[in-house]
Amino acid sequence: MTTPEELPGWTHTYSGKVRDLYVPASTADGAAPERMLVVASDRVSSFDYLLEPPIPGKGELLTTLSLWWFDRLAGSDGGTPIPNHLVPGATVPDAVAGRAMVVHALDMLPIECVVRGYLTGSGWGEYQGSQTVCGIQLPDGLHNGDRLPAPIFTPAYKAPFGQHDENISFDRVVELVGAEHADQIRALSLDIYRRAAATAAEHGLILADTKFEFGVAPDGTVTLADEVLTADSSRYWDAAAWRDGTTPGERMASFDKQIVRDWLTQRWDRTGQPPRLAADVVARTAARYRELIERLTA
């Protein structure tokens, strides 16, 4: 993994596949910080491997889109304001300007709050065997890419770095976080999805599915955290292509790193180290990320 940057006034504490976390340098050893700096890198991963080279500008694009959505969900879209973890008016170090956020530290809930409006991905795989997704019974006769009768909440247990998240039932969410928090994060997730899907539709896009993370603030408020509705956490499709396409590849070409996944699948059997990404794959992936933000925010 790439060595994290040294940032004056901040101490690095953790690196995930894409993001690096810092706490104020003044934080005493063992003390819980009040704030954190979340830095989005240009790193790209697939099939649980970090790949080379990175995607130029990816970190800034992810951060820009998250900030845009946080603002809309705070009430600028006309909906009920959703509390989020951003620290208003905070400045970030110049070295990571544009790709970092200063946020309140939260007690994070260990749940990936996945909402699906369309049947695809792992949900399609499960449906083929049981006509269910995360134990939720769905109608007969659905096809890959079909719109569901209504959005569904299909949570996953957030696994430690390097392990796969585990799809779980809502009853299991209750066991993990308690009934009150489970009800809150389900209701918030479905509300955010519906609002975001409506916004996407206004721009000729389909929000097929997405995932959210929530934490609990010191005053007990359940708070939207991490990234939100980016190409790394959400599956967006072009609405016209979905309507008019004749194959899943045409209908469901997503605005994310699917180009990378497809390229790897053709050249790598997932044993040993993955090959270095070709220059045209990097360029096309970066362009796909840019196209999404340009269309949404136009």
Side-chain angles (χ1 to χ4, degrees):
M1 182 174 291
T2 304
T3 303
E5 298 161 276
E6 292 188 9
L7 301 175
W10 296 92
T11 300
H12 174 259
T13 60
Y14 175 80
S15 287
K17 293 176 184 176
V18 173
R19 286 169 179 76
D20 300 314
L21 300 182
Y22 297 76
V23 299
S26 58
T27 305
D29 289 344
E34 293 185 0
R35 297 183 176 189
M36 302 185 73
L37 180 71
V38 182
V39 180
S41 74
D42 291 345
R43 297 191 295 268
V44 61
S45 68
S46 189
F47 306 119
D48 290 326
Y49 281 83
L50 281 174
L51 307 174
E52 292 289 344
I55 307 298
K58 177 172 176 279
E60 185 169 351
L61 291 169
L62 293 176
T63 301
T64 299
L65 193 52
S66 274
L67 291 172
W68 187 81
W69 278 114
F70 278 130
D71 177 68
R72 291 189 62 81
L73 295 169
S76 72
D77 68 345
T80 302
I82 305 292
N84 66 60
H85 65 165
L86 297 176
V87 177
T91 58
V92 303
D94 290 343
V96 292
R99 57 187 181 91
M101 302 180 291
V102 178
V103 303
H104 296 288
L106 305 172
D107 181 13
M108 295 300 295
L109 300 174
I111 306 296
E112 291 277 6
C113 295
V114 180
V115 180
R116 303 173 191 266
Y118 291 73
L119 184 61
T120 192
S122 63
W124 167 240
E126 180 182 334
Y127 175 83
Q128 289 178 289
S130 62
Q131 293 187 331
T132 64
V133 177
C134 286
I136 299 173
Q137 190 69 44
L138 296 176
D140 296 345
L142 295 178
H143 300 90
N144 190 13
D146 280 359
R147 184 174 183 176
L148 298 173
I152 57 175
F153 179 70
T154 57
Y157 173 69
K158 188 171 174 59
F161 178 73
Q163 300 181 30
H164 292 288
D165 294 342
E166 173 193 356
N167 289 344
I168 58 177
S169 67
F170 184 72
D171 287 343
R172 179 60 177 147
V173 177
V174 173
E175 293 175 1
L176 289 167
V177 303
E180 182 177 1
H181 284 158
D183 286 338
Q184 285 180 298
I185 61 177
R186 178 171 62 180
L188 285 168
S189 297
L190 289 168
D191 177 45
I192 295 169
Y193 173 83
R194 292 187 182 101
R195 289 161 63 174
T199 297
E202 293 172 359
H203 297 270
L205 297 166
I206 287 172
L207 178 60
D209 53 42
T210 188
K211 62 182 179 181
F212 308 112
E213 292 190 40
F214 295 91
V216 181
D219 66 358
T221 301
V222 174
T223 303
L224 182 62
D226 197 56
E227 63 180 321
V228 61
L229 295 160
T230 71
D232 270 12
S233 66
S234 311
R235 202 185 319 252
Y236 290 93
W237 299 332
D238 180 270
W242 178 83
R243 182 183 63 247
D244 301 332
T246 58
T247 68
E250 290 176 327
R251 297 182 70 211
M252 300 180 295
S254 52
F255 290 82
D256 60 9
K257 57 187 177 184
Q258 188 62 47
I259 295 168
V260 170
R261 287 190 288 262
D262 291 345
W263 185 87
L264 280 177
T265 299
Q266 295 169 6
R267 293 164 175 80
W268 181 52
D269 62 2
R270 303 194 197 183
T271 60
Q273 289 298 311
R276 185 176 178 86
L277 298 176
D280 73 300
V281 171
V282 172
R284 286 189 290 125
T285 303
R288 198 67 170 158
Y289 276 94
R290 285 194 300 271
E291 182 183 353
L292 175 62
I293 192 169
E294 288 168 359
R295 289 185 60 172
L296 274 173
T297 62

